């Protein structure tokens, strides 16, 4: 197989999971802007997600968020997804919106609140069983705002105990993916603030526990690709939540703020074998002022472009330059790959797969946007928190 053929073959295997909540209404921290044709329930979210997969060929799974995507019959929801040509992906828990969680969820000082939070996580595993989902994704808003508010070490003990109880409930082939976030909503201490804390808990739990890297959850200037390389080296990188940030957790389209960073991350994924392992590539974005489906299609394409460039890095030339200490040449090898226009290559990959080479244009001309605006009348639109 030629080098170019190998790159094409790798790109054909790439899958990017889209989030159900990205198809609903969302907004800034001050206002939610409603759009016509937005889904009214999880079934319609899956219908929209299927259109993304139809035109990209690279988005076969859809993440759910519970209780936002709660339904009476999860087997029926999974069957609906299959009928539309997609599958249910990660089940995302929610322990940050109930009033009981003002002081935390599984780290809360009150055992009754901790029990409520754990029960919800166990419910999410039940939903995994019903939908055939592999991954339980956990993010906790737990933390404190003031020194002395709670005991830092005790909160870590509570976190470990809660995670262990849920971990024991996981079935064969299921995983727990633990996400971290530098801050927000807690400002003094966050109970899972960084990859080291997440890694420490996952290491203690066992092989089914993995770390999730959300690309928007870091301090300015953080070398995310170093974190990725380290977690891959340790066999503990479970997946990504892809998005972009300018200031904090902006949840903008992946690659929008710093496409070079996305390329650097994907190079470490390729270098570390993560592209052919069980690393889950997921989007976690909110589309506040842009149309939902086109924004998600564009995001999938952005990941594909960064991946294609990463696959085109001349590994032999890079290793030779690194080995000889040629700093400029080593950097030039990476920059040559990054500066390559991979859009013609990706058009070829799509054509060879029987897809339209231009997903955005194909979607705009298919009539789906006009169809859902006309048909999705009445009911209550889905949105952030619903």
């Amino acid at each position: 197989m030629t080098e170019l053929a190998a790159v094409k073959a790798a790109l054909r295997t790439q899958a990017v999971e889209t989030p159900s909540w990205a198809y609903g209404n969302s907004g800034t921290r001050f206002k939610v802007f409603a759009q016509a044709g937005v889904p009214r329930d999880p079934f319609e979210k899956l219908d929209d997600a299927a259109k993304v997969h139809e035109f990209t060929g690279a988005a076969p799974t859809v993440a759910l968020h519970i209780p936002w995507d709660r339904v009476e019959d999860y087997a029926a929801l999974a069957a609906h997804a299959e009928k539309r040509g997609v599958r249910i992906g990660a089940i995302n828990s929610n322990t940050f919106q109930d009033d009981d969680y003002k002081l935390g969820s599984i780290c809360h000082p009150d055992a009754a609140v901790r029990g409520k939070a754990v029960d919800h996580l166990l419910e999410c595993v039940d939903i995994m069983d019903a939908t055939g989902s592999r991954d339980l994704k956990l993010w906790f808003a737990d933390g404190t705002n003031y020194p002395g508010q709670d005991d830092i070490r005790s909160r870590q003990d509570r976190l470990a105990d809660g995670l262990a109880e849920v971990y024991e409930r996981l079935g064969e082939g299921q995983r727990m993916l633990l996400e971290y976030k530098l801050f927000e909503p807690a400002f003094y201490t966050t109970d899972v603030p960084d990859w080291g804390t997440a890694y420490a808990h996952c290491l203690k739990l066992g092989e089914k526990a993995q770390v999730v890297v959300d690309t928007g959850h870091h301090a300015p200037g953080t070398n995310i690709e170093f974190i990725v390389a380290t977690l891959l080296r340790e066999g503990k990188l479970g997946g990504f939540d892809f998005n972009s940030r300018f200031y904090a957790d902006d949840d903008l389209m992946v690659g929008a703020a710093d496409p070079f960073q996305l390329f650097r991350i994907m190079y470490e994924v390729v270098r570390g074998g993560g592209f052919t392992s069980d690393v889950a590539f997921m989007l976690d974005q909110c589309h506040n002022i842009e149309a939902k489906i086109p924004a998600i299609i564009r995001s999938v394409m952005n990941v594909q472009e960064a991946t294609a460039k990463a696959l085109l890095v001349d590994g032999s030339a890079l290793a030779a330059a690194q080995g000889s200490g040629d700093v400029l040449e080593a950097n030039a090898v990476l920059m040559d790959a990054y500066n390559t226009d991979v859009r013609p290559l990706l058009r070829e990959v799509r054509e060879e797969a029987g897809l339209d080479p231009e997903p955005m244009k194909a979607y705009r001309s298919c009539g789906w946007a006009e169809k859902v605006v006309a048909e999705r009348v009445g009911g209550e639109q889905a949105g952030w928190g619903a």
Side-chain angles (χ1 to χ4, degrees), residues 90-93 95 105-107 121 128 134-142 155-156 158-164 166-167 170 174-182 190-215 217-218 227 231 236-241 280 282 284:
I91 304 300
N92 291 253
S93 61
T95 55
S105 59
I106 66 171
C107 300
L121 302 183
M128 293 168 65
R134 179 187 65 173
D135 295 333
L136 170 67
K137 188 142 72 67
L138 307 177
W139 172 73
F140 299 106
D142 294 38
R155 292 181 73 89
Q156 288 296 308
R158 299 168 201 155
L159 175 63
D161 290 344
L163 291 175
V166 178
Y167 184 89
L170 294 175
Q174 293 179 336
R175 305 189 304 174
M176 172 188 289
L177 304 182
L178 181 58
E179 189 175 349
Y180 59 90
K181 189 174 185 179
L182 178 67
T190 299
D191 291 314
V192 191
D194 51 40
W195 73 272
T197 305
Y199 173 74
H201 282 282
C202 288
L203 193 64
K204 185 175 182 180
L205 287 166
E207 292 183 357
K208 293 182 179 180
Q210 303 275 303
V211 179
V212 168
V213 176
D214 185 306
T215 50
H217 285 189
H218 302 83
I227 298 170
L231 289 173
K236 280 295 181 181
L237 180 63
F240 288 94
D241 272 2
M282 301 174 279
D284 182 12

Side-chain angles (χ1 to χ4, degrees), residues 309-331:
K309 293 180 179 186
L311 289 164
L312 288 173
V313 171
D314 187 334
S316 297
L318 182 60
Q322 291 170 340
S324 65
D326 192 335
V327 176
L328 292 178
E329 179 60 23
N331 177 250

Side-chain angles (χ1 to χ4, degrees), residues 35-116:
Q35 297 183 15
V38 163
R40 296 163 297 180
D41 57 44
F43 292 89
E44 291 182 346
K45 291 179 181 179
L46 291 173
D47 293 341
D48 285 357
K51 303 307 288 186
V52 175
H53 184 48
E54 177 183 339
F55 291 109
T56 64
T61 58
V62 186
L64 300 185
H65 209 300
I66 307 299
W68 302 348
D69 294 317
R70 186 172 279 148
V71 295
E72 291 185 5
D73 188 339
Y74 288 101
L77 187 65
H80 182 80
E82 293 279 356
K83 186 177 180 180
R84 294 293 186 267
V86 292
R87 304 185 310 278
I88 302 300
I91 304 300
N92 291 253
S93 61
N94 183 317
T95 55
F96 53 85
Q97 286 193 299
D98 290 5
D99 287 342
D100 285 344
Y101 299 142
K102 180 171 68 174
L103 299 179
S105 59
I106 66 171
C107 300
H108 198 287
D110 187 332
V113 176
R114 296 199 300 274
K116 173 182 175 178

